[in-house]
Amino acid sequence: MRRAAWNTDATLSLIEAPDLTPGEGEVVVRVLSEGICGTDLHSFRGHMPPEAGRTPGHEMGGIVSTVGPGVDHVREGDVVGVEPLLRCGACRLCVAGHYNQCQVAGGLIGLHVDGGMAQEVLAPAPAIFKSPSGVDAELTALAEPLACAVHGFNQIAVNPDETVLIIGAGTIGLTAQLAAQAAGAATIVLARHPHQRDAARRLGAAEVLGEDDASQQRLAELAAQDSIDLVAECVGGHADTIRQSIDVVRRLGRVLVLGLFAIESVPINPVNLMLHEVTVVGSVTYGAPGGRPADYQQALNILASYQAEARSLITHRFTLGEVNTAFETAQDKGSQSIKVHLTPNA
């Protein structure tokens, strides 16, 4: 079994490893498609030094290879996705479905244990979700980023008659657009790069705005008309987008923060926050709180209904042996990449 592993210089090498054997309550998945995430790119750039020898990857789709004792919800040959959150399953938060907040055994496949940039991955049975009929492994690998948006909208609620502004059109922004539209909302997407604007149009955005003067004037008009019910902030980093979100959302509107920030504080206008009674909600990964179906399962169901739109987000595919080239492509906006996938068993 071949797998990619981090080197001390934040590049990756292929290594030969023994085939995996599942224990009690575990499943081995033959990985057919694995997405490169922004978190992976932070490690590749050296911003988050990776653990040498660890195999990254937490956006996985594949086929069940072997099931361990006590696993009965999937069988060999099933197309599945891997929800990569590790959890104890017994603490107060896990029992309530907030296992993304588990402080007992919380972690992430691909960060704390070996992940999906390998021909095989080992995962606990609760992390294995059978794909809906007709949803192949490549589409299934998109369920993880899409589930992040689904979770956020479940946290803040989005209604069919609403208008949602998506700020940022990377993978998180575009999957948030898909999730909002699946909920029946109209979307307006604010995107920096031309290829991202094209992708937002392909997904069905009602309007797509850029950074030009006309787009900024249109955004100001929408804000003045109280047209934006909800803003999904999907940029993070060092951006000034939380302030922007609060300033453009309507009175009594909501702001959902999905972007991962690299700073501990950001500027906001507290007067607008207070006078307009804006609700701001943070969201991370996914779960199954309140007895509702898991966010990851909801994401799979959306993929089943929006297959062509979702697949259009995958712009590049590389073999496992091309892993460093794949990472370089994913971080280079000049490549016009949106979602870069590895095909470990190709």
Side-chain angles (χ1 to χ4, degrees):
M1 193 268 287
R2 293 191 308 162
R3 63 183 180 93
W6 288 114
N7 300 314
T8 54
D9 64 354
T11 60
L12 293 127
S13 295
L14 287 190
I15 62 175
E16 295 289 334
D19 289 341
L20 299 173
T21 301
E24 179 81 24
E26 293 181 327
V27 177
V28 174
V29 175
R30 182 171 177 258
V31 182
L32 299 185
S33 200
E34 162 64 47
I36 295 177
C37 175
T39 305
D40 301 320
L41 291 176
H42 280 302
S43 294
F44 190 69
R45 297 180 185 123
H47 300 162
M48 295 171 53
E51 178 186 351
R54 175 70 67 217
T55 294
H58 58 271
E59 299 180 2
M60 293 161 270
I63 295 175
V64 173
S65 175
T66 317
V67 297
V71 178
D72 57 12
H73 72 293
V74 292
R75 60 185 179 181
E76 293 180 12
D78 284 345
V79 179
V80 297
V82 180
E83 184 197 58
L85 290 179
L86 302 173
R87 79 299 295 261
C88 74
C91 70
R92 172 183 59 85
L93 290 167
C94 284
V95 170
H98 296 287
Y99 48 81
N100 59 331
Q101 298 291 339
C102 178
Q103 299 299 298
V104 178
L108 191 71
I109 295 173
L111 184 62
H112 301 97
V113 299
D114 288 336
M117 294 186 191
Q119 291 182 305
E120 293 181 339
V121 67
L122 180 68
I128 305 298
F129 285 74
K130 188 174 179 179
S131 300
S133 177
V135 177
D136 60 25
E138 182 175 79
L139 284 174
T140 298
L142 293 170
E144 194 279 338
L146 179 56
C148 294
V150 170
H151 178 69
F153 286 132
N154 281 333
Q155 296 282 86
I156 205 168
V158 57
N159 301 306
D161 59 344
E162 292 190 309
T163 296
V164 177
L165 172 67
I166 311 289
I167 299 182
T171 299
I172 294 299
L174 292 170
T175 52
Q177 177 190 345
L178 193 59
Q181 291 171 186
T187 58
I188 301 170
V189 179
L190 182 58
R192 171 174 292 180
H193 302 287
H195 71 282
Q196 294 174 334
R197 294 195 284 275
D198 290 342
R201 293 186 186 98
R202 286 196 301 271
L203 290 184
E207 289 188 59
V208 179
L209 305 176
E211 296 184 327
D212 57 285
D213 290 343
S215 291
Q216 296 307 305
Q217 181 178 349
R218 174 58 178 157
L219 188 60
E221 291 172 356
L222 291 165
Q225 295 164 3
D226 262 3
S227 298
I228 300 168
D229 300 292
L230 191 159
V231 179
E233 189 290 318
C234 303
V235 178
H238 295 83
D240 191 23
T241 41
I242 294 181
R243 178 201 57 76
Q244 182 183 27
S245 300
I246 293 170
D247 289 350
V248 301
V249 76
R250 66 165 170 80
R251 289 159 178 79
L252 304 177
R254 293 104 69 211
V255 172
L256 173 64
V257 181
L258 290 173
L260 177 62
F261 281 83
I263 48 180
E264 294 184 357
S265 62
V266 295
I268 65 168
N269 183 339
V271 175
N272 282 348
L273 178 68
M274 179 187 69
L275 292 183
H276 294 173
E277 296 187 341
V278 175
T279 299
V280 181
V281 173
S283 180
V284 64
T285 60
Y286 21 78
R292 71 178 185 230
D295 300 311
Y296 191 96
Q297 182 62 59
Q298 293 180 55
L300 286 171
N301 295 341
I302 292 172
L303 290 171
S305 298
Y306 295 85
Q307 294 193 33
E309 295 89 342
R311 202 182 304 275
S312 73
L313 299 178
I314 305 171
T315 55
H316 297 74
R317 299 165 178 85
F318 293 92
T319 66
L320 194 60
E322 300 169 311
V323 62
N324 286 295
T325 302
F327 269 75
E328 290 164 0
T329 302
Q331 73 171 349
D332 178 14
K333 293 305 179 186
S335 70
Q336 298 190 4
S337 65
I338 295 175
K339 177 53 68 177
V340 176
H341 274 202
L342 291 168
T343 55
N345 279 282

